[in-house]
Amino acid sequence: MSHLMNTYARQPVAFVRGEGVWLWDEAGKKYLDALAGIAVNTLGYGHPKLKKALLDRVNSGILHTSNLWRIPDQEKAADRVAEITGLDEVFFCNSGLEATEASIKVARKYGHDRGVAEPAIIVMEKAFHGRSLATLSATGSRKVQAGFEPLVQGFVRVPLNDLDAVRQVAEHNKNVVAVLVEPIQGEGGINVARMEYLRGLKEICERKEWLFISDEVQCGLGRTGKWFVYQHAGFQPDVVALAKGLASGVPVGACVVGGRAKGVFKPGNHGSTFGGNPLAMIAVVTTIDTIKDEGLLANAARVGTLIQESLRDQFDTTLAEIRGMGLMIGVELGQPCGELVRQALEAGLVINVTADNVVRLLPPLVMSEAEGRMVVERLAPLVRAFVERATPATAAAR
Ligand SMILES: Cc1ncc(COP(=O)(O)O)c(C=O)c1O
């Protein structure tokens, strides 16, 4: 019997080797990876530049010093993150929840600095921000919250893509100091915020002097064809939360601030023992440099469009709704479809199902067009068979 705490319903497969977008299990079976460890393995597996950078770091003998000292690679990583976000100050941590938790703290401190004693943050239905007490309270899922009450106070929830709901809160709630939004909800089922909605939200933030916080832990770092989704909408947020793909497999997170949020945190306001450690930092620098050197933003846009279009060609919108941007893709089916994960593994394809009925694809950004076509070739027959089993009459009529 395993001594692991029972927090995950795991598939009975262990991947032991990887190269590019390919994985091998213990029995030597080969899989095409369309999930990247849930949007983490940006550069795929065994990328020579990342391997070399990490080996050099290990060979230097130093994996950790402390934030009590200067960490040159942390300074380099912060320069890179500031450049791609267009923001000013970077706090490095180790995970997505830490990045969003830090963002929530920045918003509260910003409120207190302006004399708001009980600052509130607008959050979205179906959002996911993490599993610490504050971030699960900000999360719009009862499943994530149940059993952990009392929740952290100070969040006001509205539906995504509904500007009027935000306007109403703006009119009646004087405690609001920030809006926290995932521009593409990942765990919630690949729900894409409309660009005009994001711009409208930003306008309200400007008018009310609220912070605009973009949680790009899952959708950021090049996956949509630009570094960040707010760049598609054409404005700068005040705070961005990052993690997952930022170091291509090495645990890292970042809370990045600019605009009204610049300078809110002072020495002593926040900290992390491991945050910004030399091992993670060289992985951040190498990941960002490699995305640039290898043109992976354009690649994500190209291969993502190819996958989305070929799925749309194959499925009528009444059977499967294809949503997403670039290499962040959801296929919503009419019924809970968790069984597709196991069926895909049998067919040599790694996928995930989220929000019960959405097949989620988050491939490494190094996926080629030929590999993108193979994802569709392996996935489409499984989805077709599932839909036919689930709704024989509707499917037969197509
Ligand atoms: C948008 C978003 N924010 C925050 C998190 C939390 O990240 P972590 O699991 O690294 O704590 C996730 C994880 O899925 C996420 O998708």
Side-chain angles (χ1 to χ4, degrees):
M1 208 188 90
S2 167
H3 290 288
L4 286 173
M5 195 179 279
N6 190 19
T7 53
Y8 280 93
R10 295 173 206 271
Q11 296 289 331
V13 60
F15 300 116
V16 293
R17 189 164 79 79
E19 204 180 304
V21 297
W22 298 93
L23 287 165
W24 284 262
D25 71 12
E26 289 163 310
K29 180 174 170 178
K30 188 177 174 185
Y31 301 80
L32 177 55
D33 180 20
L35 190 62
I38 321 188
V40 169
N41 299 312
T42 311
L43 305 180
Y45 301 91
H47 194 289
K49 285 185 189 157
L50 185 60
K51 253 164 97 170
K52 179 172 184 319
L54 291 173
L55 286 172
D56 287 350
R57 167 54 60 219
V58 170
N59 287 331
S60 79
I62 289 185
L63 300 183
H64 176 81
T65 55
S66 165
N67 283 305
L68 295 173
W69 329 116
R70 278 190 51 230
I71 301 174
D73 282 342
Q74 191 183 110
E75 292 164 11
K76 256 198 224 170
D79 289 347
R80 300 292 199 283
V81 172
E83 184 204 319
I84 62 173
T85 55
L87 301 181
D88 299 306
E89 301 173 348
V90 188
F91 175 86
F92 284 109
C93 48
N94 313 287
S95 66
L97 83 80
E98 288 172 71
T100 48
E101 181 93 18
S103 307
I104 290 166
K105 281 182 70 177
V106 168
R108 283 194 169 191
K109 178 76 170 37
Y110 171 78
H112 282 279
D113 289 350
R114 294 157 53 87
V116 181
E118 296 198 7
I121 301 172
I122 295 183
V123 291
M124 305 295 153
E125 287 172 8
K126 296 189 185 169
F128 184 82
H129 298 297
R131 290 172 182 276
S132 66
L133 283 173
T135 58
L136 74 80
S137 302
T139 288
S141 156
R142 278 304 297 153
K143 224 162 123 182
V144 172
Q145 296 172 340
F148 301 106
E149 298 85 355
L151 299 181
V152 172
Q153 300 294 297
F155 297 106
V156 183
R157 198 170 306 286
V158 296
L160 184 72
N161 282 327
D162 181 348
L163 223 42
D164 276 340
V166 178
R167 287 193 192 104
Q168 281 187 21
V169 178
E171 213 171 292
H172 301 294
N173 190 331
K174 301 298 168 218
N175 287 332
V176 174
V177 293
V179 173
L180 168 59
V181 60
E182 279 173 274
I184 304 177
Q185 295 181 333
E187 303 304 300
I190 314 293
N191 307 312
V192 185
R194 291 195 311 272
M195 293 302 123
E196 65 271 28
Y197 168 78
L198 292 176
R199 284 190 285 269
L201 208 50
K202 171 69 177 166
E203 266 174 43
I204 299 175
C205 286
E206 285 300 308
R207 191 157 46 75
K208 304 294 290 183
E209 299 189 354
W210 296 345
L211 301 184
F212 188 109
I213 307 173
S214 199
D215 179 349
E216 304 230 9
V217 165
Q218 191 162 147
C219 62
L221 248 288
R223 180 157 294 285
T224 62
K226 289 191 189 283
W227 288 106
F228 302 104
V229 179
Y230 61 80
Q231 292 165 345
H232 290 279
F235 64 84
Q236 290 290 98
D238 301 286
V239 184
V240 181
L242 301 178
K244 287 194 183 282
L246 180 57
S248 204
V250 180
V252 76
C255 170
V256 193
V257 305
R260 289 193 179 85
K262 189 177 168 184
V264 166
F265 271 0
K266 306 269 187 306
N269 285 146
H270 203 51
S272 163
T273 295
F274 285 123
N277 71 81
L279 182 73
M281 292 301 101
I282 198 60
V284 170
V285 170
T286 309
T287 299
I288 293 175
D289 288 353
T290 308
I291 292 175
K292 283 187 195 164
D293 293 347
E294 299 189 0
L296 297 182
L297 301 183
N299 189 64
R302 192 167 49 239
V303 179
T305 304
L306 180 150
I307 294 176
Q308 289 189 47
E309 282 178 358
S310 22
L311 285 171
R312 280 196 192 98
D313 285 348
Q314 303 213 23
F315 294 103
D316 187 293
T317 48
T318 56
L319 297 181
E321 187 187 330
I322 322 294
R323 295 193 292 263
M325 265 176 115
L327 286 175
M328 181 162 188
I329 302 166
V331 182
E332 179 168 337
L333 303 178
Q335 323 254 349
C337 59
E339 68 198 67
L340 284 173
V341 172
R342 187 185 46 77
Q343 291 167 12
L345 284 175
E346 278 165 17
L349 177 68
V350 181
I351 60 164
N352 169 253
V353 167
T354 190
D356 290 338
N357 64 346
V358 181
V359 174
R360 176 168 52 165
L361 307 179
L362 300 161
L365 305 196
V366 293
M367 181 170 274
S368 69
E369 286 181 284
E371 289 158 343
R373 263 182 231 109
M374 287 174 78
V375 170
V376 179
E377 279 160 22
R378 291 183 186 194
L379 179 63
L382 301 177
V383 170
R384 186 167 308 286
F386 175 84
V387 169
E388 280 168 11
R389 272 196 311 280
T391 49
T394 338
R398 309 267 141 213

